[in-house]
Amino acid sequence: MSTSRIKRFNKLFCELEHCNEDEQRKKIGEMNEIIDGMNTEEFESVFKIKLYENIDKMIEEKKLQLGNATWILKHIGYCKVLKNVWNRFFEYSTLNERFEKMIVEEDKKKEKKNENFLIDLCECHLLLKNGSSYELLSICIPCLLKSASVKEESEETQKEVEIALLALSRVRQDFFIERELYLKKITEIIEHQQKQRNLSRLAYQSVWQFFMNRFFRDRNLKDVIVNELHFAREAARELEELTRNVNLKRKEVERGKETREEFILIRWLETSGYYFLRCKLENKEYDGLINSIVRIYQAAKDNHREISNQCICSLRIAVQRRVVKVEDLLNGGAVDTVLEEMQRPKLNENMAYECFQFLVNVSYRLKGKEKSENDEMKRKAIKMEIFEKMEEEGYEDTITTFHKIFEFLNKKYFNELPFNISDYFVYV
């Protein structure tokens, strides 16, 4: 932890209340740069409830101008998401109460409504808080979608669009939001991006994240997501381009802190897993997405375990939810990938469980007989090919090694793994 960085930030913060508006902006610019350089540990040590209470007090005493307050708070929230920090200090503060009240009051104004100020308030609220109320979401969502729909391509404008969409991606999946509040705008943003490609990678991932979160409570969106807006095709393209920009073979000691591109890559993999989990429409574009995930695993397996682990999780979900044909998983290299993961000398229990679940679900899907003779022959051929791959990879020895920890895995994950798993592919 860099104490000098934290001391510099705290010193600038203490000086804010003694400065005029312009001097405050200059110091906040310096503070934002310091925040960018903080690691997760430093960030969590600085942004506790006391800091938010002090900001609230400074606003109350008119020692911190509201525009400057929203500027630094928005940046704190932006970095909170990028650094994957989940603390809840802001939402327990009086500053949160102040902002919620201001959002409602600003939205109710019939005349002299400051839309830019309302946008800033909404972004701070969604970026800093881990949950929200329906009343506030019904204000924030249309407001931020309007902000994100701006077509200007200047760097400053696109940065604002990115922040708005990142804030929207934080709207939790357990909230039901009426389509009227978002569907038309979201569709327009995605379709415009598919033609113009002017959004940042993080902005584009965020708009899909928001959209996919809505699917949890509105299953009727699946045709829009799968066949109209082509999520699988878009995700595969984004993953391929990100992989070209990220050196996944670089060793951890050489890599340092997680890059922005690695962060976005992980988010795309997580969203792809959620897509497989919720969307049950068959689509030929799944093949490209599976192939992309397999290639990322191969590139990341030795030096970036967070990314390679997420690849295995996404493949397990794909076979478990029956949205991808077993034949396509086999041809796309997913089976080889899982078998390779099982051979790792330091396979942890979480990945062991993911791999076993993948194989169990492949077996379940190949278990019964097909009505058509041709389909039955095809099923047997696929099952034999998978079993032969397992024999080549020392499958029996691997399974025997893990017999001792099956009981532990079952207790930990509350989902039974059969002790006779090694027999699953023997009988064709």
Side-chain angles (χ1 to χ4, degrees):
M1 181 184 294
S2 173
T3 55
S4 61
R5 189 155 40 216
I6 294 172
K7 284 180 179 178
R8 178 63 179 157
F9 179 88
N10 289 335
K11 181 177 182 295
L12 288 167
F13 182 79
C14 292
E15 293 171 354
L16 286 179
E17 60 181 313
H18 307 297
C19 302
N20 61 36
E21 183 177 338
D22 291 338
E23 290 172 335
Q24 281 183 355
R25 287 195 68 80
K26 183 178 178 180
K27 289 186 183 295
I28 289 172
E30 292 181 54
M31 293 164 71
N32 286 345
E33 290 180 6
I34 295 172
I35 295 170
D36 289 335
M38 288 180 178
N39 58 34
T40 302
E41 186 181 2
E42 291 167 343
F43 188 94
E44 291 184 319
S45 72
V46 171
F47 299 106
K48 295 184 177 293
I49 193 167
K50 183 178 178 180
L51 182 133
Y52 297 121
E53 295 291 355
N54 286 337
I55 292 176
D56 185 61
K57 183 179 178 182
M58 290 165 69
I59 293 172
E60 177 69 24
E61 296 175 352
K62 303 191 184 306
K63 292 180 179 179
L64 179 61
Q65 194 263 347
L66 268 174
N68 286 340
T70 56
W71 183 30
I72 188 170
L73 286 166
K74 187 160 62 172
H75 194 73
I76 294 169
Y78 179 81
C79 290
K80 180 177 185 280
V81 179
L82 264 61
K83 296 176 192 298
N84 204 24
V85 175
W86 286 89
N87 66 48
R88 307 181 71 175
F89 295 124
F90 173 78
E91 58 194 90
Y92 295 138
S93 70
T94 54
L95 182 61
N96 172 45
E97 296 174 11
R98 179 184 296 276
F99 270 52
E100 290 185 353
K101 184 178 179 182
M102 285 194 295
I103 289 171
V104 173
E105 290 176 349
E106 192 66 33
D107 181 66
K108 285 181 178 178
K109 289 181 180 178
K110 301 298 182 183
E111 298 179 2
K112 297 182 179 180
K113 180 187 293 188
N114 188 335
E115 290 196 2
N116 289 331
F117 179 54
L118 182 58
I119 289 169
D120 288 341
L121 292 172
C122 291
E123 288 172 342
C124 290
H125 173 71
L126 292 180
L127 289 169
L128 287 167
K129 195 173 179 183
N130 295 330
S132 188
S133 67
Y134 179 80
E135 178 187 16
L136 289 165
L137 289 177
S138 65
I139 298 171
C140 291
I141 289 173
C143 176
L144 295 187
L145 281 173
K146 183 179 179 181
S147 173
S149 298
V150 176
K151 301 297 191 296
E152 294 178 34
E153 296 190 12
S154 69
E155 185 177 342
E156 183 179 353
T157 299
Q158 286 307 306
K159 182 66 176 181
E160 287 302 315
V161 169
E162 179 182 272
I163 292 172
L165 291 172
L166 184 65
L168 285 169
S169 74
R170 301 265 297 163
V171 179
R172 295 200 322 246
Q173 50 189 249
D174 55 345
F175 274 105
F176 177 77
I177 310 294
E178 288 89 349
R179 291 189 185 190
E180 292 75 16
L181 289 177
Y182 70 89
L183 186 57
K184 186 174 183 294
K185 285 290 185 184
I186 282 287
T187 303
E188 288 175 355
I189 291 170
I190 292 175
E191 288 177 340
H192 183 76
Q193 171 67 3
Q194 290 172 349
K195 293 176 182 177
Q196 302 298 324
R197 301 295 177 192
N198 64 325
L199 293 179
S200 72
R201 296 198 187 283
L202 179 57
Y204 193 41
Q205 192 283 326
S206 295
V207 72
W208 273 113
Q209 185 75 51
F210 170 83
F211 203 1
M212 207 66 70
N213 285 348
R214 308 287 64 78
F215 189 72
F216 182 78
R217 287 296 188 95
D218 190 352
R219 302 298 176 86
N220 293 324
L221 288 169
K222 58 180 177 288
D223 191 58
V224 177
I225 291 173
V226 177
N227 296 322
E228 293 182 27
L229 297 177
H230 305 281
F231 172 81
R233 181 194 69 194
E234 293 296 294
R237 189 188 64 80
E238 290 292 316
L239 287 172
E240 292 290 341
E241 292 192 9
L242 280 163
T243 305
R244 287 194 286 270
N245 294 327
V246 178
N247 185 1
L248 294 174
K249 296 184 182 296
R250 187 171 42 157
K251 293 182 179 179
E252 187 173 357
V253 291
E254 301 171 345
R255 192 169 65 242
K257 66 180 182 180
E258 185 181 275
T259 66
R260 178 185 174 90
E261 287 77 15
E262 288 170 337
F263 170 79
I264 301 168
L265 178 58
I266 292 169
R267 281 171 64 97
W268 270 112
L269 288 169
E270 290 172 344
T271 307
S272 298
Y274 190 77
Y275 172 72
F276 289 137
L277 182 65
R278 298 297 176 189
C279 294
K280 295 183 180 179
L281 288 180
E282 289 191 4
N283 187 289
K284 62 182 181 181
E285 293 172 354
Y286 292 149
D287 297 356
L289 182 52
I290 292 294
N291 289 339
S292 295
I293 293 171
V294 167
R295 283 194 288 270
I296 290 168
Y297 172 85
Q298 292 299 328
K301 62 185 179 182
D302 294 324
N303 299 312
H304 206 308
R305 292 306 299 164
E306 184 178 2
I307 288 177
S308 59
N309 288 354
Q310 189 59 55
C311 291
I312 296 295
C313 291
S314 297
L315 294 176
R316 187 266 301 164
I317 295 170
V319 68
Q320 186 174 356
R321 303 305 293 179
R322 300 171 181 262
V323 293
V324 184
K325 294 179 180 178
V326 174
E327 180 182 13
D328 293 334
L329 289 166
L330 179 64
N331 295 336
V335 175
D336 295 284
T337 295
V338 170
L339 291 173
E340 184 176 352
E341 176 68 14
M342 290 178 69
Q343 300 289 339
R344 292 188 64 84
K346 294 182 180 180
L347 182 65
N348 65 42
E349 66 268 13
N350 181 55
M351 284 300 101
Y353 181 81
E354 293 286 342
C355 291
F356 287 133
Q357 282 289 359
F358 178 94
L359 296 176
V360 167
N361 279 281
V362 167
S363 176
Y364 283 155
R365 291 177 60 178
L366 292 173
K367 192 173 182 180
K369 287 190 175 183
E370 298 288 346
K371 295 179 181 179
S372 163
E373 186 175 339
N374 288 336
D375 288 342
E376 175 63 11
M377 290 176 64
K378 186 176 180 180
R379 180 191 70 82
K380 287 185 176 183
I382 293 171
K383 194 169 183 181
M384 179 60 77
E385 184 175 352
I386 292 175
F387 180 64
E388 287 174 353
K389 282 181 178 291
M390 292 177 174
E391 283 193 314
E392 291 171 10
E393 295 292 337
Y395 170 71
E396 293 287 343
D397 292 337
T398 302
I399 295 297
T400 302
T401 301
F402 281 102
H403 267 149
K404 293 181 180 179
I405 69 165
F406 271 29
E407 184 177 356
F408 166 74
L409 292 178
N410 286 335
K411 287 180 179 178
K412 181 170 181 178
Y413 296 98
F414 307 103
N415 196 344
E416 185 176 357
L417 286 166
F419 280 87
N420 64 334
I421 189 172
S422 57
D423 297 330
Y424 268 42
F425 288 87
V426 176
Y427 303 106
V428 180

